[in-house]
Structures are given as structure tokens and as C-alpha cells.
Amino acid sequence: MLLLLWVLPLSAESQDARTGIEELLPPSALAFDPGVPRPESVLGFPAGSRIAQQDRLVAWFEALAAASDRVSVRHLGDTHEGRRQITVVISSPRHQFDLEHQRHRHLDGERGAPLVTWHGFGVHGNESAGPQAAMLLAWYLAASRDAAIADMLDRVIVLIDPLQNPDGYVRFSRWLDLPGNPPALTLLKALPEPWPGGRTNHYLADLDSDWLLLQQPESRNRMKLLQAFRPHVMTDHHETGDPAGHCKVAECTSLLRPNPSRPDDPAHWLAERLGAQVQGAGSVHPPLLLAADTLPWAELSGVVGLRLTQIAAADAVSEVELIRGHLHAALGVLEGAVEFEQALKTFRDAHRDGTLAAPAGPAGWLIGGGPDTSRSTALLEVLAGQSLTVFGLLDAMDRDGRRYVPGAAWVVPALGPGAGMTRAILGETPGSVALAQAMGLSSLALDELPAGLDSSARVDRASGRRGSREAAAWILPWNDFYAPAVLNRLAGAGVGVRVVTAPLTLGSGDDRDEIGPGAIAIRRVDVPRLRIPAVTFLDRIIRSEVPLLGLDHLPDQSGQPSWLPLQPVRIGLLEGDGIDTASAGSLAFLLEHRLGFSVTAIRPLGLSADLLGSFTHLVMPAGDYQQIPSPVSGALGDWVRHGGVLITLAGATTWVLAESWPWSAPPGLQGLGVGGAQGALMVQSSRRDLRITGQHPLGFGLPAEIRLPPGDWPDLAVASEGAAEAVAHYVDGGTAIVELGVGRGVVLAFAGDPMRRGIWLTGERLISNAVSFGEILRRPAAEIPGAPAELLTLAGSR
């Protein structure tokens, strides 16, 4: 629901660096403790006169905690770039003295326990007024000698997250410090940022969309704190210079409207009254619109949460005015929380007891894993991060034609206080994440929970080494999500590796392992000779993430070879103007962070023959590539023709297929020749469920039926046996991914973006397969056999 508030006594502020801290505080703020350091004592300039660098901001909060018995600082964890995330805890000295005791009193719902509020700033790194306001808010609460503030802090534990996105904020603030940009706070919303801007984190993820998914370290760090304290009230502060765009979404038309569909919902009822308290801060001059809606994570967690967005026209409101607005809004919510203390506690008790009416839905979900245990682990980590209860199975059970076994199946109840959160994460209704399906796991909604559940939820991993230490070769199956990371480490350590392109049966009798195509074979002769045994060396590289199966002899390779050697890959990733930031960031997150590949970022206009010669693979994220000139396009086409592996997504695919590259093609197909292509990976669809036909290397390690994320998947034209053929949109049963041969190279073209916010693990596996096996797709089709399974004996199994 939206609360629309015209708020705050704002006046045009001087941009002079001598802006005093008192000028930004409420007019009633008179006396302050001189022993509490002001921000300028560490920053070197008055707070609110310019953007504070992240390290100086953290240093000042630590100095504040060292000087004030009202303040303490908690280190939550580190970001991708190694920057500290902190939360500042402000309360009375007596609460600070036994903070853990007070926290447990609050969690237990004890009478007289303090309220807890949380105020987050800067989740978008270029919304820079919030972190400056956080310093003023902390200093005001710590230094004020006002009796009303002392009484408030004796009743409330205030948690301030001054900078939820340190890496994005640093990118933005460093850009501001470049020559030609204003050093003081002016109309920053009017300044155009260079790509990718400071809104997102290091891997270009929007952290405001990660509250439920918990894929980024900043979100996981923050969630540990929120789960530890379970606030009564949360405010998440935002700002925008696009009032027309925001108000179009937020329907900024009226003041404090009740939600007619949920008139008795206490969360909305309390949010309206807290918003009214903010509005009561004073008259409006000049007008600044504060749009407030409920914070979804808070609403699902029994917290009264407000997302407060200051909407200021870029040519009318300065950064100083936004700083003052954040500060007054947070103080207004604090005053409102004290006023409605009993109502907030009653609401929290009702949520904790499970007596609040939850929306109708399943009683829970039965989740089924598979051979890829990393996916199961990833899902359980998200559920644990949200403090949801998960049960294992004590005995195997059959439901809807599928067998669920202990260690590979789990029950997640949607009952009690966690019901709303569970349904939001696992449900398939609009607004839900449907996380199990996105991660490639089966999910069955339950009308009632089964009996005989295990209180512990374990994952049985088929890891570890089997077979003799003196094996002639070892096999690594490819059905684990992190198998590409192991392959990358092996190649980096100088281990000769080969991909098995035909199914294998290892062992005999009851001791048999069926190994699918894509398994990695390591011959003893291809392991570097060191002072330690070869198998010990391999164990250290593999780290027990996937099984290591020893063979006592090599298979017969006299016929068509099915063990193809793989070379180390060198990956370039296009980033820059015109490229979709989310797509580029997701690719970098997968390849660099998750799988450990070395990835080099390249600007599209910087492509040249010399630069391209440094890479075996080039990845083009979704985006608009129309600005690439013909010479750059020609250099890229020549690179592919001479053996490069090009992977394109969405808009990049549209651009590549429209280029006049030397395709081997029948004439007349709009310049797109695919007659000499090695074929297409054909998929058929029912809704979003796709079927991969054949044993194509992009499908190695994947089941026959997969699911791609929703989004724009335009038609792709392909050739079938030399005849031009147009195919329909993939959701109606068409071609979503095309493999095209260009000289000695290959283009792997995705009609859409198979990745989405770090949770679509099947799509990510398609990309990692394209990287891992792209080079073998450059070979003639006859060299990629689908030979019958070979019977091998597992070393030491007899």
C-alpha cells in the first residue's frame, strides 16, 4: 500500500562548505555533549557539505562509538571488494551495557523490553544523501542533551545501517571526485553517471531486489543482523530525481489512503500512523514529496516497514535538502514508534504466536533434489538465511509419480509466523519467487504435511574419492553445478583434462556408476609429476566438491574417440555503454565469483584484432550493440572465423545474426547463412518447460527437460539440413539457442537471457557449458561422437 506524504520544513540551503550540522537538525535541537565527536573531526569537512568517502564514514562511526556510551558498532561482514559492512546500535547506556540481554528480552516478548527500530540507507550506491543523513542521525541521538531523546533511547534500541551498498557507493563517490565534477553537494541527481553508475553492487546486482533471494554477501550480512534483532519498525530510505517516472508507478495522488482490500491489517494500520507522525514534522516549503510504501520483507516478517522515497525534481531540490529530509523522516518514525509502542508490541506478539491471519495457500512444500546436490544446498541456504524451518525425511515416500528419499528431499511447512515468507519464496503465484523451480529442483505443494519428519535437513553429497590410489585415470562427473569450477582449477594447475562425450558405465554387478556425457577424464600421464602422489594433488584441487572415481585401465580409443582434450580458457566479457548492467553483472558473478574463471572486462568500442587475440572466448551480454562500427564488427567476425568461441545473449544475438559475417549458408536467408553450421540446439516448450534433444554439449549435466526464465525470447531463424526454416517463439515450441559455425570458430547464440538474479541455475549451467565446451563445438560434428557406453571397471572395486 502507498502512503503519500508532503513533509518536512525545507528551505533552500547554501551549498557553501561551511554548512553547520545544527542547520540540518530539528529546530528544537539546542544543547549537545561537547565530548561526542562531530563528523568533521574525522571527515575533515562539515557533515552535509560534501560526500564522505566510505572508509572515512566507517572510521567516524567507530570514533563515535569509542566516545559515547550510547553507541556501539557491529561488523556484519565484508562486501565483494572487501569493504566492511557495519550497523550502528544506539540506545541508552544501560541498554548498551547488557545489549544481548535486552535483545533476548525483546525476542522473547518480555514485558518492558525495549522497542527495536532499523533504519537503512544507501542500498542504491548513488542515492548518496542517505549515508550523510545517517551520520547526522547517529550524532544527534548520541550527543543530544534533550531529556526527550534520553527517554526515547531508554525505550528504543535504534539500529542504523548507514551504507547498505558500500561498493556501489564508492564507485559513485570516486566518480564525483574526478576533475570537472562538483566537490560540494549540489543537484547530484542532474549529473549523468558513466556506465554502470553507482546504483548496484560490485557485480551490478540491485540489492533492493535481493531481500528474499539472499544471493549477494551484502544481503546475507544484513539479514543476519535483522534475524538477530527482529525489529518492530524498519525504514528503508531511497531517493530519486525522476518524480514523473516514480509517481507513475506509485500513483502519487493522495495522502494517507487506507488499503481498501486489507482494512483490518495491523501492519498497514500502524504504517499509516507512523507515516502521519512523519508528516507532522512541519509545514512544507519548498515542496518535497516523500512516497512511502510497505517494505515487502518486513511485511512478510511481522515488521512494520516503510520504504521512504524522496522524490525531488533534479532542477529544484539539492542534495543538502535531501539529507535533511532523510534525517527528519527517520526522527519522525522514531517518535511515532514510541507513541505507538504498545500497538507495535501487540502486533509483534500476534505474528510470533501465529495468530495473524495468513493468506490462504498450501500447508507446505515437498522439495525434491537430484544428482546436482549443489542446487539443493543453494536452496537450503536461502531458506536458512530467512530462518525458515526445513524438515528432512525419515523414510522414502512416493508422490505424483516421483520417489522422494532421505538426504535428497525436504519438507518446508507454511504454517505459523513463517507462512507468508515460505509462500513468497516457494510459491508459484504472481509476486512469488518460485525459487525451487528457478534452481532446477522439483517442488510439490502439500495440502497437509506428511508424518514422520526429521528435524534435521541434510544433503547427501556423493563426493569423495573412490577406487585405487594407483588408478590409470580418474573420472569427474559433470552433474554438479560447481563441476565447471573444478575443471577450471584443474586446467589452471596444469592438469591435462579431457571431456567424455559418450555415456560411461563404470564398475560391474551392483557396484556400477552410470556417468553421463560431459564427465571430465584425467589420465595419470596428464597429471604433473610432483613430490606428492598424483591422487593427493588431485584431491587438493577438487576439494571433495564432486566425486573422483578411479579407473584401473583406460577405455579402448581405437575407434571414434570419445575423450576430447580441453584447453584452458581465456574469457573476455563486454561491458560498457549500451550493455544491460544486470546481464553483464550476472555473467561476471557466475564466471568469476562462482566458478573462479579469470574474466577480463572489455569496452565494445575497444575491440581490436590484437586484443581479441588474447582470448579464446568472448561473451556478449544482453544490450544494444548498434553503436559498434563496421571495423570493430569485422575484427570480431575474423576472430570467430579463426577459431574464437563467441557467446551472445538477447540483444547481442540479434546484432550478431544481422551482421554480414562469412556465414556458410544457403542464399536468400536475409544474409544469415547457416547451411554449414554444425546444427542447432533444438528445444520444445510447454509454458517455460523446455526439452533438449540429443546429447549436445550445452546440455551436458542437465536433465532432458529444463526451464528457462521468463522474459523476451524472440524468434530465431535457423537452417535445417540446408533448408531455411523460420521457427516460432520458444514458449510455443521453437529454437531458443542456436549454434552457428563460422570458419574454424563457433557462435553460441541465446535468443534471450537464460540467467536471472543469480537464482536461475539451469540457465547459468547453459552458460558455463558454453564456456567449458565451446572449443569442442568448433570441431566437425563427426569428431563429437555419441558412441555406445563403454564398460569400465572401477579401480579397487573388486
Side-chain angles (χ1 to χ4, degrees), residues 105-180:
R105 291 183 65 216
H106 152 62
L107 294 176
D108 293 339
E110 185 177 323
R111 182 179 298 274
L115 283 172
V116 178
T117 68
W118 179 90
H119 309 270
F121 301 89
V123 71
H124 297 134
N126 58 1
E127 296 174 6
S128 53
Q132 321 314 309
M135 288 190 289
L136 300 180
L137 174 63
W139 184 83
Y140 177 61
L141 295 177
S144 175
R145 288 179 168 174
D146 190 331
I149 296 297
D151 178 66
M152 175 191 293
L153 296 181
D154 209 34
R155 300 168 64 182
V156 184
I157 295 173
V158 182
L159 307 174
I160 301 174
D161 190 329
L163 193 51
Q164 299 180 68
N165 180 7
D167 293 348
Y169 177 85
V170 167
R171 191 164 60 242
F172 177 73
S173 59
R174 284 179 176 172
W175 167 68
L176 284 180
D177 282 345
L178 293 175

Side-chain angles (χ1 to χ4, degrees), residues 1-4 251 254-265 267-273 292 294:
M1 186 195 74
L2 298 174
L3 307 177
L4 304 168
E251 300 178 1
S254 61
L255 179 66
L256 296 176
R257 296 180 305 163
N259 186 339
S261 64
R262 305 176 70 179
D264 299 326
D265 188 327
H268 290 273
W269 184 84
L270 288 168
E272 289 178 13
R273 280 145 185 80
T294 54

Side-chain angles (χ1 to χ4, degrees), residues 86-398:
I86 64 169
T87 287
V88 183
V89 184
I90 303 179
S91 194
S92 65
R94 75 181 184 95
H95 287 340
Q96 289 286 356
F97 179 75
D98 62 348
L99 188 60
E100 280 302 293
H101 176 61
Q102 296 300 329
R103 182 176 70 87
H104 284 290
R105 291 183 65 216
H106 152 62
L107 294 176
D108 293 339
E110 185 177 323
R111 182 179 298 274
L115 283 172
V116 178
T117 68
W118 179 90
H119 309 270
F121 301 89
V123 71
H124 297 134
N126 58 1
E127 296 174 6
S128 53
Q132 321 314 309
M135 288 190 289
L136 300 180
L137 174 63
W139 184 83
Y140 177 61
L141 295 177
S144 175
R145 288 179 168 174
D146 190 331
I149 296 297
D151 178 66
M152 175 191 293
L153 296 181
D154 209 34
R155 300 168 64 182
V156 184
I157 295 173
V158 182
L159 307 174
I160 301 174
D161 190 329
L163 193 51
Q164 299 180 68
N165 180 7
D167 293 348
Y169 177 85
V170 167
R171 191 164 60 242
F172 177 73
S173 59
R174 284 179 176 172
W175 167 68
L176 284 180
D177 282 345
L178 293 175
N181 287 329
L185 299 185
T186 53
L187 305 178
L188 298 185
K189 296 295 176 290
L191 296 176
E193 295 179 69
W195 193 96
R199 179 180 178 87
T200 53
N201 77 341
H202 174 77
Y203 283 111
L204 309 185
D206 186 342
L207 297 179
D208 197 34
S209 300
D210 201 37
W211 282 89
L212 295 183
L213 305 179
L214 300 183
Q215 297 302 298
Q216 300 296 321
E218 297 91 342
S219 303
R220 294 194 295 270
N221 295 339
R222 177 183 63 216
M223 193 56 60
K224 291 176 184 176
L225 184 281
L226 292 175
Q227 298 292 359
F229 276 91
R230 289 284 179 174
H232 294 89
V233 177
M234 298 174 62
T235 60
D236 190 28
H237 294 249
H238 298 258
E239 59 211 51
T240 180
D242 180 20
H246 187 94
C247 290
K248 183 178 180 180
V249 175
E251 300 178 1
C252 304
T253 56
S254 61
L255 179 66
L256 296 176
R257 296 180 305 163
N259 186 339
S261 64
R262 305 176 70 179
D264 299 326
D265 188 327
H268 290 273
W269 184 84
L270 288 168
E272 289 178 13
R273 280 145 185 80
L274 289 176
Q277 192 72 20
V278 177
Q279 188 225 6
S283 60
V284 182
H285 181 75
L288 180 69
L289 183 63
L290 180 68
D293 58 49
T294 54
L295 185 62
W297 182 89
E299 187 174 3
L300 294 168
S301 303
V303 179
V304 176
L306 295 174
R307 178 185 277 118
L308 303 175
T309 304
Q310 295 195 76
I311 307 172
D315 58 351
V317 179
S318 74
E319 193 84 352
V320 171
E321 291 165 338
L322 292 174
I323 292 171
R324 192 212 306 265
H326 286 306
L327 173 62
H328 285 245
L331 289 173
V333 168
L334 273 172
E335 293 172 4
V338 172
E339 179 177 345
F340 303 121
E341 176 180 2
Q342 191 54 53
L344 289 167
K345 290 184 175 180
T346 300
F347 173 57
R348 168 51 55 81
D349 290 343
H351 181 270
R352 180 190 299 111
D353 296 341
T355 56
L356 285 180
W365 276 266
L366 177 61
I367 307 297
D372 185 350
T373 54
S374 290
R375 296 175 187 242
S376 303
T377 300
L379 175 64
L380 294 183
E381 285 176 350
V382 174
L383 299 178
Q386 298 291 2
S387 294
L388 297 177
T389 301
V390 181
F391 294 103
L393 297 183
L394 290 174
D395 301 300
M397 58 187 300
D398 297 302

Side-chain angles (χ1 to χ4, degrees), residues 379-464:
L379 175 64
L380 294 183
E381 285 176 350
V382 174
L383 299 178
Q386 298 291 2
S387 294
L388 297 177
T389 301
V390 181
F391 294 103
L393 297 183
L394 290 174
D395 301 300
M397 58 187 300
D398 297 302
R399 290 290 179 92
D400 284 7
R402 178 186 173 99
R403 189 163 184 79
Y404 296 86
V405 298
W410 307 271
V411 172
V412 187
L415 304 173
M421 183 68 71
T422 302
R423 289 168 184 160
I425 292 176
L426 297 179
E428 291 192 84
T429 57
S432 298
V433 177
L435 192 60
Q437 289 83 353
M439 289 187 167
L441 305 177
S442 67
S443 176
L444 177 64
L446 300 172
D447 294 329
E448 61 180 19
L449 301 182
L453 297 178
D454 188 350
S455 59
S456 62
R458 74 180 193 275
V459 178
D460 287 344
R461 297 185 66 92
S463 58

Side-chain angles (χ1 to χ4, degrees), residues 371-374 461-466 474-487 489-490 519-520 522 538-539 541-549 765:
D372 185 350
T373 54
S374 290
R461 297 185 66 92
S463 58
R465 175 169 42 81
R466 294 172 54 194
W474 296 269
I475 295 291
L476 290 168
W478 193 252
N479 55 17
D480 190 278
F481 180 82
Y482 286 103
V486 177
L487 172 61
R489 292 200 300 269
L490 288 167
I520 301 303
I522 308 165
L538 294 177
D539 285 343
I541 297 173
I542 294 167
R543 305 173 191 170
S544 298
E545 292 180 5
V546 294
L548 179 62
L549 308 177
R765 167 46 69 90

